[in-house]
Amino acid sequence: MSSYSPSETSDKTGFSIDTLRYYEKIGLLPGIARNAAGRRVFSDDDLRWLDMLRCLRETGMPIAEMLRFTELARGGAGTLQERVELLREHDRRVEEQIARLRAQQAQIQWKIGVYRDAAPVCPSIWTPDWAPV
Amino acid sequence: MSSYSPSETSDKTGFSIDTLRYYEKIGLLPGIARNAAGRRVFSDDDLRWLDMLRCLRETGMPIAEMLRFTELARGGAGTLQERVELLREHDRRVEEQIARLRAQQAQIQWKIGVYRDAAPVCPSIWTPDWAPV
DNA sequence: GTTTGACCTGGAGCGCGCTCCAGGTCGCAC
DNA sequence: GTGCGACCTGGAGCGCGCTCCAGGTCAAAC
């Protein structure tokens, strides 16, 4: 089996049917086949491409850039270098994202510590938890 | 110095003045002082609170939940346990976020490798880079 | 031959988190 | 006393990424 209806594709990829249509419409899914009745027929390659799109999307790549990537991919081997550069740049951004999240997580955990330490102290007196970082 | 005009606060926190007004309006910044002319006066505590808000916001907490956290913080010491629970739950989500990003980053790097390996091969022939994950 | 249900299209609508705008009020500099 | 610039308010508007809708087509089931 290597061709899938819209609803099968939706099930397999987690994208809603509406999103699949939207992605095809804006150009993120060029060359989706159609059957005699005009209905979309997705291939295994399409599913793999959707998997890549999801990865890029969920790591915060804007649709405009995914579109550029898609156009490069359609451009064939001559665009490989550009694709590598685009993905490298994105990889750097993901790295930064992770680093920032780690730092922010430390702040959250520190705050949890502040609250835990404050908890047993003077339960009847107003403590100005309000504001301290 | 421990009181700041809107523009100073904007400079120090990175939030735009419009966002500061918006946050006050929806309840994320209760109790912002005003001077005789009705203008906002931010304190060091306000700046620290804004710092916390930014941390929560940038780690993906929706405004509705930040609002709940703000209300708890205003509620005084009696809400410490709830605040700890809320932050712990958020901390878990941040942890998941980081784990997902790491996995997705691996996928991106793998794809970069695929492209790099493909690069020197048959530059004149159409290679179906299109689709492979 | 009719019903059903999955699919089609173009286009409107939505939720979030701001961002911008018009029209007004101050306080200070000149 | 005029100008300027920072600030005020309520409310409209926006950009993104979908999501929903109305009205239609087609194929298989009964």
Side-chain angles (χ1 to χ4, degrees), chain A residues 27-31 44-49 51-52 54-56 58-60 69-71 73-81 83-84 87-88 90-92 94-95 97-98 100-105 107-109 111-112 114-116 118-123 125-133, chain B residues 27-31 44-46 48-49 51-52 54-56 58-60 69-71 73-81 83-84 87-88 90-92 94-95 97-98 100-105 107-109 111-112 114-116 118-133:
Chain A
L28 285 179
L29 295 174
D44 283 316
D45 275 356
D46 293 331
L47 296 206
R48 277 189 286 273
W49 184 248
D51 215 54
M52 188 73 212
R54 184 145 42 71
C55 174
L56 297 178
E58 291 187 354
T59 48
F69 182 60
T70 304
E71 279 154 12
R74 292 194 65 195
T79 69
L80 277 169
Q81 190 50 43
R83 275 179 271 169
V84 167
L87 290 186
R88 281 225 179 101
H90 187 57
D91 180 45
R92 267 190 292 279
V94 172
E95 191 64 41
Q97 238 186 108
I98 292 172
R100 280 225 322 281
L101 281 176
R102 278 264 171 253
Q104 287 158 338
Q105 190 183 37
Q107 186 176 350
I108 292 163
Q109 289 172 353
K111 187 69 172 178
I112 290 171
V114 168
Y115 283 156
R116 286 171 48 85
V121 175
C122 308
I125 290 185
W126 163 268
T127 35
D129 307 318
W130 176 255
V133 176
Chain B
L28 285 179
L29 294 174
D44 283 315
D45 274 357
D46 294 330
R48 276 190 286 271
W49 184 249
D51 215 55
M52 188 74 212
R54 183 145 42 71
C55 174
L56 297 177
E58 291 186 353
T59 48
F69 182 60
T70 303
E71 278 154 12
R74 291 194 67 194
T79 69
L80 277 168
Q81 190 50 44
R83 274 179 272 169
V84 167
L87 290 186
R88 279 226 181 99
H90 187 57
D91 180 44
R92 268 190 291 278
V94 172
E95 191 64 41
Q97 237 186 105
I98 291 171
R100 282 226 320 282
L101 281 176
R102 279 262 171 255
Q104 288 158 338
Q105 189 183 37
Q107 186 176 350
I108 292 164
Q109 289 171 354
K111 187 68 173 179
I112 290 172
V114 168
Y115 282 157
R116 285 170 48 86
V121 176
C122 306
S124 62
I125 290 185
W126 163 265
T127 35
D129 306 317
W130 177 255
V133 177

